[in-house]
Amino acid sequence: MSNRKEKIILHGAFQNENFGDTLLLSIFSKKVKELDAGLQILGSNVSSHAASFCGIEKASFFDKVNPRNPFIYCGGGYFGERKHKKNKWGVNLLLRHLWVGVLSAALKRKYAILATGFGSLSLLWYRLPAIYVVNKASRVCFRDAESVDFYNDYSGMREVDLVADAVLSLEKSELYDAVGVERSDLKEFSGDNQRRLVIHLPGTANDQFQRKMIASSANKVLQKFPALKVVAISDNSFNKEQDFFSWLNVKDVECKPFTGPKRLLEEIDESDYVITTKLHVGICAAVLEKRVLSFASHPKTKRFYDQIGRRELHREIHSVNSLQLERSLEMFLSDDVLPAKIPSKVKSMASETWEVLEEFIDNSKA
């Protein structure tokens, strides 16, 4: 190895600063440090706040285009589209994720795709670069069987591995450590054993329909559960969440802005029930063995609940009407739904991600 400080770049959807993407960046950066403390870890597509939280540096443009710096697509981001606004998702895929892979493939730089999803790519102009990036990678691990099927249908030119989302490999203590939660930080349940519900919804304009529909249904259903303590928490700053909070007219609901992954994980751990539209909030609730109900439109979210054998915990938000949503909420809060739990087979599949990561780091030095 030369005297030059070796660098490795972690690439994902880390600019969002939301719970799931920051959690993934933290987990992968910690794993890289465990495997090789001498590597300088850089974050691609990462905000200054997220980089600081994870103890890494932001990659410059020159770091990203330097063929000597290996990089990893590490879970954040998704090679695919949603049902709606396909052109928008295609542009986003190209500008945020694919360009660096296309460049790396052209420069014969070593890169890997670890625990990332692959999905429908109906438009040829971004399907071809996505397939090109996958085909030229050193190693490819997709996080669900549907991703493998989509890739094989489109190309199948190379062998890809099937794993599971990296977070699913963690024990509770490792999940706490990933975001800096101390066991002493967690509150004990009160003596009267009051049940506690966390409603977690994102705050972007694109999700306004989802949030308003869920909030409206929750207002009606929660009147039947007056003893339930309700906490509403967002995924962005408080000023962006006034509409969501104002839609929840439940008596004594406690509204909290998103202040980072540490506090949100504490809120999940201190709850009995979690309602969310986000993938990794649901994943963490399952790791912590909570009752969780998901309302989302992204295909990767449904795939997760299918993977753990709990399809009943997910509702595609655009496929249900208000009455169906209310029935789902009432059944959920009536304890007719068992807590989520990660099957041992899925945990084992997720752990294989770290074996591939170690192999990639060793090979990138050769």
Side-chain angles (χ1 to χ4, degrees):
M1 189 179 293
S2 67
N3 294 328
R4 170 184 174 268
K5 179 81 170 180
E6 297 292 330
K7 298 179 180 180
I8 191 166
I9 299 174
L10 304 181
H11 182 94
F14 306 133
Q15 191 66 39
N16 296 334
E17 290 192 25
N18 63 27
F19 177 77
D21 296 322
T22 306
L23 176 64
L24 282 169
L25 180 60
S26 177
I27 290 171
F28 271 90
S29 60
K30 287 179 184 295
K31 288 291 184 180
V32 171
K33 290 174 185 176
E34 290 174 8
L35 294 170
D36 191 332
L39 281 174
Q40 182 182 2
I41 304 172
L42 305 177
S44 171
N45 200 31
V46 61
S47 69
S48 297
H49 181 272
S52 176
F53 177 84
C54 297
I56 64 174
E57 299 179 28
K58 290 183 66 174
S60 68
F61 175 78
F62 297 103
D63 288 321
K64 296 177 186 178
V65 300
N66 187 338
R68 299 176 65 187
N69 298 331
F71 85 98
I72 301 169
Y73 286 103
C74 49
Y78 172 78
F79 287 30
E81 65 194 13
R82 294 195 190 186
K83 294 179 181 178
H84 311 285
K85 300 182 179 179
K86 294 180 180 180
N87 272 307
K88 175 186 174 181
W89 282 97
V91 171
N92 180 69
L93 181 62
L94 285 171
L95 297 183
R96 297 183 65 183
H97 301 302
L98 289 182
W99 76 268
V100 66
V102 170
L103 178 64
S104 296
L107 295 174
K108 301 186 185 313
R109 173 164 63 176
K110 293 179 179 177
Y111 66 97
I113 300 172
L114 303 186
T116 298
F118 195 97
S120 174
L121 293 165
S122 60
L123 301 179
L124 193 63
W125 61 269
Y126 62 89
R127 182 198 308 168
L128 292 179
I131 292 171
Y132 177 72
V133 169
V134 175
N135 286 345
K136 296 296 183 179
S138 301
R139 287 296 299 270
V140 179
C141 297
F142 288 135
R143 65 185 173 202
D144 50 64
E146 291 88 345
S147 292
V148 176
D149 290 341
F150 268 108
Y151 169 71
N152 286 335
D153 286 344
Y154 286 138
S155 175
M157 290 181 61
R158 60 161 302 147
E159 182 178 348
V160 297
D161 296 309
L162 173 61
V163 293
D165 192 283
V167 181
L168 298 171
S169 70
L170 304 183
E171 300 297 331
K172 294 180 183 180
S173 59
E174 294 174 308
L175 185 57
Y176 298 146
D177 181 62
V179 296
V181 172
E182 298 290 342
R183 188 67 204 180
S184 58
D185 294 335
L186 300 173
K187 299 175 183 177
E188 297 295 330
F189 289 118
S190 59
D192 58 4
N193 293 319
Q194 184 182 27
R195 296 278 183 170
R196 192 168 184 272
L197 164 68
V198 168
I199 302 178
H200 168 267
L201 303 179
T204 63
N206 292 333
D207 297 309
Q208 189 175 79
F209 167 78
Q210 292 181 355
R211 290 180 293 149
K212 199 161 191 175
M213 185 174 177
I214 294 169
S216 176
S217 297
N219 288 335
K220 297 177 181 178
V221 173
L222 289 172
Q223 295 177 17
K224 302 177 182 180
F225 301 88
L228 192 66
K229 169 68 175 177
V230 182
V231 176
I233 190 165
S234 69
D235 217 28
N236 283 301
S237 65
F238 182 80
N239 290 335
K240 295 180 181 180
E241 296 305 321
Q242 290 291 328
D243 54 353
F244 159 44
F245 289 147
S246 66
W247 292 336
L248 280 169
N249 299 318
V250 184
K251 182 181 180 181
D252 298 328
V253 62
E254 185 177 2
C255 299
K256 297 183 179 182
F258 176 72
T259 58
K262 177 179 182 291
R263 186 57 202 143
L264 180 51
L265 187 64
E266 291 172 350
E267 293 286 351
I268 295 170
D269 193 63
E270 292 160 8
S271 70
D272 298 282
Y273 310 91
V274 178
I275 295 172
T276 183
T277 60
K278 303 294 283 186
L279 172 63
H280 281 93
V281 172
I283 285 176
C284 289
V287 171
L288 297 172
E289 299 184 11
K290 302 294 180 179
R291 286 182 168 86
V292 59
L293 186 60
S294 166
F295 294 100
S297 59
H298 202 298
K300 65 184 180 183
T301 309
K302 177 182 180 297
R303 294 179 188 181
F304 161 65
Y305 292 98
D306 286 345
Q307 190 176 53
I308 66 171
R310 298 299 303 276
R311 181 177 296 185
E312 76 277 10
L313 301 181
H314 173 71
R315 303 286 188 276
E316 213 284 349
I317 189 63
H318 294 293
S319 299
V320 296
N321 56 38
S322 297
L323 181 58
Q324 291 169 325
L325 200 155
E326 290 168 24
R327 287 174 178 170
S328 295
L329 288 173
E330 186 167 356
M331 181 183 70
F332 175 62
L333 297 174
S334 300
D335 287 346
D336 288 340
V337 176
L338 295 174
K341 190 173 183 178
I342 308 302
S344 57
K345 179 181 178 181
V346 176
K347 290 182 73 72
S348 178
M349 289 169 59
S351 296
E352 292 176 17
T353 303
W354 310 127
E355 297 172 14
V356 177
L357 174 64
E358 182 174 13
E359 179 185 322
F360 176 76
I361 289 175
D362 289 342
N363 290 338
S364 67
K365 299 175 185 175

